[in-house]
Amino acid sequence: MFKPKTLRQTIVPSLVMNFLFGMGISDVFSKKPSKLIEYAYTLCVLILVNVVGILMVPYFNKYYIISMLSLSRVAFKLLIYANLWTLSTLIAASRLNAQKLRTLIALVETNDQAMERIGLPRMYRTLFMYQIKEFVVYGFITVVFVAVTSKWHFATSTPTMMKLCLSLVAHVPFVVIYVSSATFGFWVTCLRLKLHQLNQLLHSMLATMTPESSLHKRFLQTKNDFENNKFWSFRNEQGSHGNTNKIRSIKQMHLKIIKIVKVVNDAFGMQILLLMITSVIFTITFLYILYRIIWLDLTMDELIKELVSVICWFLVYASQILHVNHVCAKTNSEVTIMGDVICDLYEPSTSNEFRAEIRNFTLQLIQNPVVFTARGYFNLDHTFIQAVIGTITTYLIIMIQVGDVTKSQTAKTLNNESDEILF
């Protein structure tokens, strides 16, 4: 089984997937990549994607059975151009932030070396498998969506090769969206694992502290299965001096992670902002279309044809909101755990130097929170998901009420005209 030894070997799956669509960096193919070649390649990808997408529109109109609902037909026609715009913007933003990605890689490599010096192992294999699993899952979902679209949304006279080509072209934006969010999720997960390692080290310190309080005694009664032998650099250190050195090292590691978080926000902020805005807009749109379709008088076969594509694209955009924010929230929770353990370490200690380090560390946690943002416009966490749910619900209610009023007014007008004709 392949076991990466360096960070650059670890991130090869993400680099390759991004480079296929003109995003990211080409360091995996060349040690000294030319920026001119990278920009030229990205420009070629942008031209190819947009030209192919526009040329395929007449074929979609000819072979693709969109919907019996006029609103749905308009939405899907707009979706084609909106996806092309989203795809182009994601690719362009990624290329413009390529240098920040290189800075991010360099900072993480430096942080890995520093953490290894205090006995914390590198989690390269875990991160490598995380990428593989994500891309396999997304690839499977893409294949399912392509198969479903080919089955239900093409005229029976459509040639098989035309079905395949149109289905693949229609789902290219879907792939690019998932590659972008998966890459961002990978770096956030990388930081979460680092924070988790620091928390394990803090828990090991708490387990070896001299119990001097009832609170600490109760804590020691809980099972702590942490393996202290991982931290070989602190194996022979005893007493408060050793713990002071540990807490000082952990504080330095935390500060380096904060710097990495800022670079992650700078490198991916524009892409995530675009993804979140687009996802919210289309989630609202597709939910409203679903509501309108359900109330149509259709046979079961017609209903399935109407719902399949709408549900697929709804899941694409809704999953982006959930996935990105959940990954960020899990990382934030590690910082919360760190703060709790730091507070628990303060009470049983009798060393003034150690307590001073704890106070400084606590102040550092307060002044430098781990926060992932979409270009600084809003924070990415579970609170954002709650806000989005409220926004979607509000707009859906408004759209449903306006739609019902419009239909009732139209029906009333038609009845009045009929009465005038009769009399």
Side-chain angles (χ1 to χ4, degrees):
M1 185 65 71
F2 176 69
K3 187 175 182 179
K5 297 180 180 179
T6 64
L7 179 64
R8 292 183 181 272
Q9 291 179 352
T10 304
I11 61 177
V12 164
S14 292
L15 292 180
V16 171
M17 291 300 297
N18 277 273
F19 190 76
L20 286 176
F21 297 99
M23 302 186 294
I25 56 179
S26 59
D27 294 39
V28 67
F29 302 105
S30 174
K31 293 183 178 180
K32 294 182 179 180
S34 170
K35 291 185 179 180
L36 180 61
I37 294 177
E38 287 183 342
Y39 276 93
Y41 176 71
T42 299
L43 182 61
C44 291
V45 172
L46 285 172
I47 294 174
L48 178 64
V49 167
N50 283 277
V51 169
V52 171
I54 293 173
L55 291 178
M56 284 293 181
V57 171
Y59 294 97
F60 275 107
N61 294 333
K62 181 178 180 181
Y63 295 110
Y64 196 74
I65 303 173
I66 298 178
S67 177
M68 297 175 63
L69 183 66
S70 59
L71 175 63
S72 184
R73 290 196 296 270
V74 172
F76 275 98
K77 288 180 180 179
L78 291 176
L79 179 65
I80 295 174
Y81 296 101
N83 279 336
L84 288 175
W85 177 79
T86 302
L87 186 149
S88 301
T89 309
L90 285 174
I91 294 175
S94 177
R95 173 56 53 221
L96 293 174
N97 292 317
Q99 190 57 42
K100 295 177 181 178
L101 182 58
R102 290 190 175 93
T103 303
L104 173 61
I105 294 172
L107 286 175
V108 174
E109 287 177 334
T110 303
N111 182 260
D112 287 339
Q113 294 171 2
M115 293 184 72
E116 194 172 36
R117 283 196 292 270
I118 64 172
L120 295 174
R122 304 187 183 193
M123 308 291 288
Y124 288 158
R125 175 164 173 75
T126 302
L127 291 170
F128 182 82
M129 294 307 299
Y130 173 84
Q131 296 171 89
I132 297 298
K133 291 176 182 177
E134 274 208 326
F135 289 130
V136 168
V137 170
Y138 293 154
F140 175 76
I141 294 173
T142 304
V143 171
V144 171
F145 283 6
V146 169
V148 168
T149 303
S150 301
K151 172 69 176 177
W152 294 100
H153 277 278
F154 285 102
T156 54
S157 60
T158 307
T160 304
M161 187 57 66
M162 182 61 69
K163 284 184 180 181
L164 180 61
C165 291
L166 291 177
S167 298
L168 291 175
V169 170
H171 289 85
V172 166
F174 163 79
V175 177
V176 174
I177 287 172
Y178 266 123
V179 168
S180 298
S181 64
T183 304
F184 174 74
F186 163 76
W187 289 109
V188 175
T189 301
C190 177
L191 296 176
R192 179 176 64 82
L193 291 177
K194 292 180 181 298
L195 290 169
H196 181 69
Q197 286 180 297
L198 295 179
N199 284 335
Q200 285 185 318
L201 183 54
L202 288 171
H203 277 103
S204 71
M205 293 172 57
L206 190 58
T208 57
M209 294 285 287
T210 303
E212 297 178 358
S213 67
S214 58
L215 175 64
H216 191 64
K217 289 179 181 179
R218 289 197 301 271
F219 180 85
L220 290 181
Q221 291 174 0
T222 61
K223 183 178 179 180
N224 192 325
D225 58 352
F226 183 78
E227 298 177 3
N228 290 305
N229 58 357
K230 291 182 180 179
F231 309 109
W232 54 270
S233 63
F234 294 115
R235 188 178 299 169
N236 297 321
E237 294 182 346
Q238 301 291 332
S240 61
H241 181 68
N243 286 331
T244 302
N245 289 336
K246 283 185 182 182
I247 203 70
R248 188 178 293 120
S249 298
I250 294 173
K251 185 177 67 174
Q252 293 173 354
M253 294 301 102
H254 173 264
L255 193 59
K256 290 181 179 180
I257 290 175
I258 293 298
K259 294 179 181 179
I260 297 174
V261 169
K262 293 178 180 178
V263 177
V264 169
N265 287 332
D266 290 339
F268 295 95
M270 183 58 69
Q271 294 98 304
I272 298 302
L273 176 63
L274 177 64
L275 281 178
M276 292 299 102
I277 293 175
T278 307
S279 298
V280 171
I281 292 173
F282 279 108
T283 299
I284 295 172
T285 303
F286 287 124
L287 281 175
Y288 180 66
I289 292 174
L290 283 173
Y291 166 79
R292 294 292 299 274
I293 289 174
I294 290 173
W295 289 100
L296 292 176
D297 187 14
L298 303 173
T299 63
M300 182 57 67
D301 188 58
E302 291 173 338
L303 183 62
I304 292 175
K305 288 182 179 180
E306 292 288 335
L307 292 178
V308 163
S309 186
V310 177
I311 291 175
C312 286
W313 281 106
F314 163 74
L315 292 176
V316 169
Y317 288 108
S319 63
Q320 294 306 301
I321 300 172
L322 298 175
H323 172 257
V324 169
N325 287 277
H326 180 64
V327 170
C328 295
K330 286 178 66 178
T331 304
N332 293 339
S333 66
E334 291 292 339
V335 182
T336 304
I337 295 172
M338 181 177 290
D340 293 339
V341 179
I342 288 295
C343 293
D344 290 334
L345 282 170
Y346 186 85
E347 185 179 359
S349 174
T350 58
S351 170
N352 292 330
E353 184 182 7
F354 182 80
R355 288 195 167 192
E357 288 294 335
I358 291 292
R359 287 193 295 268
N360 292 336
F361 197 178
T362 304
L363 185 62
Q364 179 175 299
L365 288 171
I366 295 172
Q367 293 180 340
N368 300 279
V370 174
V371 179
F372 297 97
T373 68
R375 203 65 179 180
Y377 287 96
F378 47 81
N379 296 342
L380 301 170
D381 50 25
H382 289 155
T383 304
F384 180 75
I385 296 178
Q386 296 172 2
V388 167
I389 292 174
T391 301
I392 291 174
T393 304
T394 301
Y395 277 97
L396 275 178
I397 292 173
I398 294 173
M399 293 170 70
I400 290 171
Q401 289 178 339
V402 171
D404 291 342
V405 169
T406 303
K407 287 192 294 183
S408 63
Q409 288 179 347
T410 303
K412 185 177 180 180
T413 302
L414 291 174
N415 290 333
N416 291 336
E417 290 178 354
S418 300
D419 293 340
E420 290 176 359
I421 292 173
L422 290 174
F423 290 102

